[in-house]
Amino acid sequence: MSAALHTNEFASRKSCSLQDNSSAWAPNDDDCESNLLVIGGPCPSISSISCDVLPPYTCTILKTGQLRVKKEMDRHCQPATERRWRNFNTHLHGTLLDFCKRHHHRIVRRYGMQNMQVGWASDYLHHPFVIRAYNTATGEQFLLQTPTLQDMVEWIDCLQAAINISIDLDKRKMPTFVTLARSHYRHHNNLVTLIVNGAKVAVQTCPNRGSKSSPKSTKSNLLRSLFS
Protein backbone atom coordinates (compact mmCIF):
# COMPACT_ATOMS: atom_id res chain seq x y z
CA MET A 1 0.00 0.00 0.00
CA SER A 2 2.81 2.39 0.85
CA ALA A 3 4.60 1.58 -2.45
CA ALA A 4 1.48 2.42 -4.43
CA LEU A 5 1.14 5.74 -2.63
CA HIS A 6 4.79 6.53 -3.30
CA THR A 7 4.37 5.77 -7.02
CA ASN A 8 1.28 7.96 -7.37
CA GLU A 9 3.00 10.84 -5.58
CA PHE A 10 6.03 10.61 -7.95
CA ALA A 11 3.80 10.56 -11.04
CA SER A 12 1.86 13.60 -9.88
CA ARG A 13 5.05 15.55 -9.19
CA LYS A 14 6.46 14.64 -12.65
CA SER A 15 3.27 15.77 -14.44
CA CYS A 16 3.33 19.04 -12.55
CA SER A 17 6.95 19.68 -13.53
CA LEU A 18 6.18 18.97 -17.18
CA GLN A 19 3.25 21.37 -17.13
CA ASP A 20 5.40 24.05 -15.54
CA ASN A 21 8.16 23.58 -18.14
CA SER A 22 5.73 23.56 -21.07
CA SER A 23 4.12 26.77 -19.87
CA ALA A 24 7.51 28.37 -19.37
CA TRP A 25 8.82 27.51 -22.88
CA ALA A 26 5.60 27.89 -24.88
CA PRO A 27 6.04 30.85 -27.27
CA ASN A 28 3.33 33.46 -27.50
CA ASP A 29 2.36 35.66 -30.40
CA ASP A 30 4.58 38.53 -29.27
CA ASP A 31 7.65 36.30 -29.23
CA CYS A 32 6.94 35.02 -32.76
CA GLU A 33 6.60 38.54 -34.13
CA SER A 34 9.79 39.64 -32.40
CA ASN A 35 11.68 36.66 -33.80
CA LEU A 36 10.49 37.42 -37.31
CA LEU A 37 11.57 41.02 -36.95
CA VAL A 38 15.02 39.96 -35.78
CA ILE A 39 15.51 37.54 -38.67
CA GLY A 40 14.42 40.05 -41.25
CA GLY A 41 10.71 40.48 -41.03
CA PRO A 42 7.87 38.51 -42.53
CA CYS A 43 8.22 37.06 -46.02
CA PRO A 44 7.03 39.50 -48.70
CA SER A 45 4.19 38.53 -50.93
CA ILE A 46 4.77 37.43 -54.53
CA SER A 47 3.07 40.53 -55.87
CA SER A 48 5.54 42.78 -54.05
CA ILE A 49 8.60 41.15 -55.68
CA SER A 50 9.82 43.21 -58.65
CA CYS A 51 10.51 41.18 -61.78
CA ASP A 52 13.56 42.32 -63.78
CA VAL A 53 12.84 42.66 -67.49
CA LEU A 54 15.51 41.07 -69.69
CA PRO A 55 17.01 43.29 -72.39
CA PRO A 56 15.89 42.62 -75.96
CA TYR A 57 18.02 40.21 -77.99
CA THR A 58 19.93 41.69 -80.89
CA CYS A 59 21.96 39.58 -83.30
CA THR A 60 25.30 41.21 -84.05
CA ILE A 61 26.51 38.66 -86.63
CA LEU A 62 24.80 39.13 -89.98
CA LYS A 63 26.28 38.43 -93.39
CA THR A 64 24.61 37.81 -96.75
CA GLY A 65 26.01 37.22 -100.20
CA GLN A 66 26.01 35.06 -103.31
CA LEU A 67 28.65 32.35 -102.98
CA ARG A 68 29.66 29.28 -104.86
CA VAL A 69 29.63 26.14 -102.73
CA LYS A 70 31.32 22.79 -103.29
CA LYS A 71 31.14 19.72 -101.07
CA GLU A 72 34.47 18.00 -100.37
CA MET A 73 33.63 15.33 -97.78
CA ASP A 74 30.39 13.80 -96.55
CA ARG A 75 31.98 12.50 -93.33
CA HIS A 76 35.40 11.60 -91.97
CA CYS A 77 37.71 10.34 -94.74
CA GLN A 78 34.80 9.82 -97.13
CA PRO A 79 34.80 12.01 -100.26
CA ALA A 80 31.53 13.64 -101.23
CA THR A 81 29.49 11.96 -103.93
CA GLU A 82 28.34 15.34 -105.32
CA ARG A 83 31.39 17.54 -105.87
CA ARG A 84 30.29 20.11 -108.40
CA TRP A 85 30.11 23.84 -107.70
CA ARG A 86 26.66 25.28 -107.00
CA ASN A 87 25.51 28.88 -106.62
CA PHE A 88 23.61 29.79 -103.45
CA ASN A 89 22.33 32.84 -101.65
CA THR A 90 24.25 32.43 -98.41
CA HIS A 91 22.94 33.87 -95.14
CA LEU A 92 24.80 33.91 -91.83
CA HIS A 93 22.54 34.84 -88.93
CA GLY A 94 24.04 34.37 -85.51
CA THR A 95 25.26 30.77 -85.33
CA LEU A 96 23.31 29.50 -88.34
CA LEU A 97 24.61 29.33 -91.92
CA ASP A 98 21.86 28.88 -94.52
CA PHE A 99 22.20 28.07 -98.22
CA CYS A 100 19.21 29.09 -100.34
CA LYS A 101 18.50 28.86 -104.04
CA ARG A 102 19.26 32.05 -105.91
CA HIS A 103 15.72 32.72 -107.14
CA HIS A 104 13.89 31.24 -104.16
CA HIS A 105 13.88 31.76 -100.41
CA ARG A 106 13.73 28.06 -99.63
CA ILE A 107 16.61 26.84 -97.50
CA VAL A 108 18.45 23.99 -99.19
CA ARG A 109 20.91 23.30 -96.38
CA ARG A 110 21.48 24.70 -92.90
CA TYR A 111 24.62 24.36 -90.79
CA GLY A 112 25.23 25.18 -87.16
CA MET A 113 28.59 26.76 -86.47
CA GLN A 114 29.31 24.67 -83.39
CA ASN A 115 32.25 22.26 -83.86
CA MET A 116 33.21 24.07 -87.08
CA GLN A 117 36.64 25.21 -88.23
CA VAL A 118 36.80 27.87 -90.92
CA GLY A 119 39.70 29.42 -92.77
CA TRP A 120 41.26 30.22 -96.09
CA ALA A 121 41.74 27.14 -98.28
CA SER A 122 45.30 28.06 -99.22
CA ASP A 123 46.03 24.58 -100.61
CA TYR A 124 43.12 24.73 -103.07
CA LEU A 125 44.67 26.04 -106.31
CA HIS A 126 41.83 25.63 -108.84
CA HIS A 127 39.95 28.84 -107.95
CA PRO A 128 40.88 31.99 -105.99
CA PHE A 129 39.25 33.41 -102.84
CA VAL A 130 38.09 30.05 -101.49
CA ILE A 131 37.10 29.39 -97.87
CA ARG A 132 37.06 25.92 -96.34
CA ALA A 133 34.67 24.87 -93.55
CA TYR A 134 35.21 21.64 -91.63
CA ASN A 135 32.99 20.04 -89.00
CA THR A 136 35.15 18.28 -86.43
CA ALA A 137 32.21 16.22 -85.11
CA THR A 138 30.76 14.83 -88.35
CA GLY A 139 33.76 15.20 -90.68
CA GLU A 140 31.73 17.13 -93.25
CA GLN A 141 33.80 19.55 -95.30
CA PHE A 142 32.88 22.05 -98.00
CA LEU A 143 34.30 25.04 -99.89
CA LEU A 144 32.95 28.57 -100.29
CA GLN A 145 34.15 30.81 -103.10
CA THR A 146 33.75 34.58 -102.68
CA PRO A 147 33.92 37.19 -105.47
CA THR A 148 36.91 39.17 -104.15
CA LEU A 149 39.74 38.92 -101.65
CA GLN A 150 38.11 41.46 -99.34
CA ASP A 151 34.88 39.45 -99.34
CA MET A 152 36.83 36.33 -98.41
CA VAL A 153 38.45 38.04 -95.41
CA GLU A 154 35.12 39.48 -94.25
CA TRP A 155 33.37 36.12 -94.52
CA ILE A 156 36.14 34.40 -92.56
CA ASP A 157 35.89 37.00 -89.79
CA CYS A 158 32.09 36.65 -89.55
CA LEU A 159 32.16 32.85 -89.62
CA GLN A 160 34.82 32.67 -86.93
CA ALA A 161 32.85 35.11 -84.79
CA ALA A 162 29.81 32.84 -85.14
CA ILE A 163 31.92 29.85 -84.10
CA ASN A 164 33.15 31.69 -80.98
CA ILE A 165 29.63 32.40 -79.68
CA SER A 166 28.22 28.96 -80.55
CA ILE A 167 30.18 27.15 -77.82
CA ASP A 168 29.21 27.05 -74.14
CA LEU A 169 31.00 29.51 -71.91
CA ASP A 170 32.47 26.70 -69.81
CA LYS A 171 34.02 25.04 -72.88
CA ARG A 172 34.79 28.14 -74.92
CA LYS A 173 38.40 28.98 -75.69
CA MET A 174 39.71 32.47 -75.96
CA PRO A 175 39.87 33.55 -79.61
CA THR A 176 43.22 34.44 -81.13
CA PHE A 177 43.66 38.18 -81.50
CA VAL A 178 46.37 39.36 -83.87
CA THR A 179 46.87 43.10 -83.54
CA LEU A 180 49.98 43.25 -85.75
CA ALA A 181 50.23 41.34 -89.01
CA ARG A 182 53.61 39.74 -89.64
CA SER A 183 55.28 37.85 -92.43
CA HIS A 184 55.87 34.85 -90.15
CA TYR A 185 53.96 33.64 -87.08
CA ARG A 186 56.10 31.55 -84.77
CA HIS A 187 53.31 30.27 -82.51
CA HIS A 188 50.48 30.15 -85.06
CA ASN A 189 51.23 27.92 -88.03
CA ASN A 190 47.73 28.36 -89.46
CA LEU A 191 48.00 32.15 -89.83
CA VAL A 192 49.18 33.97 -92.93
CA THR A 193 49.39 37.63 -93.86
CA LEU A 194 47.46 38.99 -96.83
CA ILE A 195 47.43 42.49 -98.25
CA VAL A 196 43.85 43.77 -98.59
CA ASN A 197 43.39 47.29 -100.00
CA GLY A 198 46.98 48.19 -99.13
CA ALA A 199 46.74 46.94 -95.53
CA LYS A 200 48.24 43.80 -94.01
CA VAL A 201 45.63 41.43 -92.60
CA ALA A 202 46.20 38.21 -90.66
CA VAL A 203 44.02 35.39 -92.00
CA GLN A 204 43.56 31.90 -90.60
CA THR A 205 43.94 28.95 -92.95
CA CYS A 206 42.06 25.65 -92.95
CA PRO A 207 43.82 22.60 -94.46
CA ASN A 208 42.11 19.79 -96.32
CA ARG A 209 41.34 16.92 -93.93
CA GLY A 210 40.30 14.65 -96.78
CA SER A 211 43.77 14.31 -98.28
CA LYS A 212 46.27 11.90 -96.77
CA SER A 213 48.97 14.54 -96.58
CA SER A 214 48.20 18.23 -96.89
CA PRO A 215 50.86 20.02 -98.95
CA LYS A 216 52.71 22.86 -97.30
CA SER A 217 51.56 26.25 -98.50
CA THR A 218 54.63 27.86 -100.02
CA LYS A 219 54.67 31.48 -101.08
CA SER A 220 54.25 30.58 -104.76
CA ASN A 221 51.26 28.36 -103.98
CA LEU A 222 49.62 31.11 -101.96
CA LEU A 223 50.02 33.66 -104.73
CA ARG A 224 48.80 31.16 -107.30
CA SER A 225 45.67 30.31 -105.29
CA LEU A 226 44.81 33.98 -104.95
CA PHE A 227 45.42 35.28 -108.45
CA SER A 228 45.07 32.23 -110.73
Side-chain angles (χ1 to χ4, degrees):
M1 185 67 179
S2 61
L5 292 174
H6 181 72
T7 304
N8 293 333
E9 185 179 359
F10 177 77
S12 62
R13 290 179 180 178
K14 184 177 182 181
S15 62
C16 292
S17 62
L18 290 175
Q19 290 178 1
D20 295 340
N21 293 333
S22 62
S23 61
W25 290 97
N28 53 25
D29 296 337
D30 297 336
D31 294 335
C32 293
E33 291 179 359
S34 62
N35 291 333
L36 288 175
L37 290 174
V38 171
I39 294 174
C43 297
S45 60
I46 298 177
S47 59
S48 62
I49 300 176
S50 61
C51 298
D52 296 334
V53 179
L54 296 177
Y57 173 77
T58 55
C59 182
T60 57
I61 301 178
L62 293 172
K63 185 70 174 175
T64 303
Q66 295 184 0
L67 304 180
R68 298 180 65 202
V69 182
K70 178 183 179 180
K71 195 78 171 294
E72 282 190 314
M73 290 194 304
D74 290 331
R75 56 182 59 90
H76 292 288
C77 300
Q78 181 176 346
T81 55
E82 180 65 31
R83 298 174 61 88
R84 62 186 179 91
W85 287 95
R86 302 176 64 184
N87 297 321
F88 288 109
N89 286 331
T90 308
H91 305 278
L92 178 63
H93 183 271
T95 60
L96 295 177
L97 181 64
D98 296 333
F99 295 122
C100 306
K101 290 187 176 182
R102 298 188 63 177
H103 303 290
H104 303 279
H105 297 286
R106 185 173 64 88
I107 298 176
V108 178
R109 188 63 190 270
R110 168 173 286 181
Y111 291 94
M113 299 310 297
Q114 191 173 8
N115 300 320
M116 294 287 274
Q117 293 181 0
V118 174
W120 173 35
S122 58
D123 54 354
Y124 187 81
L125 307 178
H126 300 285
H127 297 284
F129 319 130
V130 177
I131 303 171
R132 177 177 285 115
Y134 173 70
N135 192 316
T136 58
T138 63
E140 192 172 0
Q141 182 175 285
F142 54 91
L143 300 175
L144 306 170
Q145 185 183 12
T146 59
T148 63
L149 177 61
Q150 183 176 356
D151 290 332
M152 184 188 75
V153 174
E154 292 177 356
W155 270 102
I156 291 176
D157 291 340
C158 292
L159 291 171
Q160 289 179 349
I163 293 173
N164 292 333
I165 65 173
S166 65
I167 307 174
D168 295 339
L169 290 175
D170 297 335
K171 301 179 181 179
R172 187 179 302 178
K173 297 180 180 180
M174 287 297 295
T176 302
F177 296 102
V178 180
T179 57
L180 181 62
R182 302 177 180 178
S183 58
H184 177 69
Y185 299 92
R186 180 181 302 175
H187 303 289
H188 304 285
N189 297 327
N190 58 342
L191 288 178
V192 296
T193 301
L194 300 178
I195 299 177
V196 182
N197 295 331
K200 293 182 179 181
V201 180
V203 178
Q204 186 173 349
T205 61
C206 184
N208 184 10
R209 269 76 172 187
S211 60
K212 296 182 180 179
S213 60
S214 300
K216 295 183 179 180
S217 300
T218 60
K219 185 175 181 181
S220 60
N221 288 338
L222 296 178
L223 295 176
R224 181 183 174 186
S225 63
L226 283 175
F227 302 107
S228 59

